[in-house]
Amino acid sequence: MQTFEDLSLISPLLRALDAQDYQRPTPIQQQAIPPLLAGRDVLGCAQTGTGKTAAFALPILQRLAEAPPAKARAPRALVLTPTRELAAQIDESFRDYGRHVRARHAVIFGGVNEKPQIRALERGLDILVATPGRLLDLLGRGYVDLRAVELFVLDEADRMLDMGFIHDVRKVLAALPRDRQNLLFSATMPPPIVELASSFLDNPAQIEVTPPATTVERIEQRVMFVERQNKRALLVSLLGGTDVDRALVFTRTKHGANRLATQLDKAGIQAAAIHGNKSQSARTRALDGFRSGAISVLIATDIAARGIDVDGISHVVNYELPNEPESYVHRIGRTGRAGRSGVAISLCDGTETGYLRAIERTIGQRIDVDEGHGYHAAAVVPGRPAPERTRGDATPRPNDARRPGNGRRQGSRASRGSRQRRSGSAGFR
Ligand code: AMP
């Protein structure tokens, strides 16, 4: 089994990893660290939760430690990431892993007072972690000097695309020196990301730990069919379960997240909502409470939850199914981290069966149906349209695996990766 020593990391980094109690490198770290230390570009297909931050942070710190900074201390490494939460977490990782290395780091992101960020830039630093908007703003006003950047990391590239930041990313790229080492990480590789990657990566080492849009094996996935008006009661009963240590609940809208937090509070369940309309301090407070265990339920929208790095999330509940199947993969990846198992439960009402089908197509497996709850809505189940059937076409096709009367799932996809954990209750009708 490979160790961090085997990866030729220097002892100040090994000591820091020891303090973090990391026993051995994760697969992405095993694959990414050697080519990065060798100075190669890397294209990594990996989600948050795989240990990808250390996969790029360690080689960056090593490189900076080996070649001490010039006097001016303009950033030599730039990490661009889409959300403030991710930016803050990455900066903390540099602090943790770099505690015995003389490298200064700082983070800049929008939504907070810029003055402390400007002061940090003026003091000089080696590693800059930034979200695109604030970086371009401060760059435009002359507070950031990117001319010394030797290492550039584009993190969560697909989410940059989703959030409409690709244009900003290109502007940042244009401000970087030509001669540099590049790294691009993305959970999925849609064509615009492949195109972007090929525009600036030079013969990259390509690494992939979780194939795109594949859900993590350790996560036990279930779907519960329920009438919309019963969702809240079902959620309350689920959250009251003794096995629920820390649950992350997803809604589609910010408003829905707020409303649900209030309703859960009324039902005696300590919950906080986190989304883009909340101030940074409210988000930090909610996250800290969740991390410390003061709050056992965090309600989030997709964008806010992206990259939330909280260990020990026992359950992810999709209170509303995402309309983007990729979001399902990101959502459930919040549990089952760092080698632990996790449970992902999706509450599906009659209006969401189409989303469920799209998700199952994307992950390439059927999600087990859990009927063993008090709110099972049999009426919702037959509403699950078969994939091939067009709207209004009630006639089953010869190959339709779910013909009426054919209650069990069939076909080659049916058994793939799916655990039959319910006592015969699971059935796709
Ligand atoms: P990331 O994918 O970078 O967000 O990391 C996910 C989580 O895994 C974080 O909580 C890290 O602290 C943790 N982690 C990263 N590398 C390791 C490792 N080699 N061993 C154990 N935990 C790790």
Side-chain angles (χ1 to χ4, degrees), residues 81-83 132-133 159-170:
T81 192
T83 68
R159 188 52 47 159
M160 292 276 194
L161 180 74
D162 293 348
M163 293 173 72
F165 290 159
I166 284 297
H167 192 58
D168 285 352
V169 170
R170 288 193 196 280

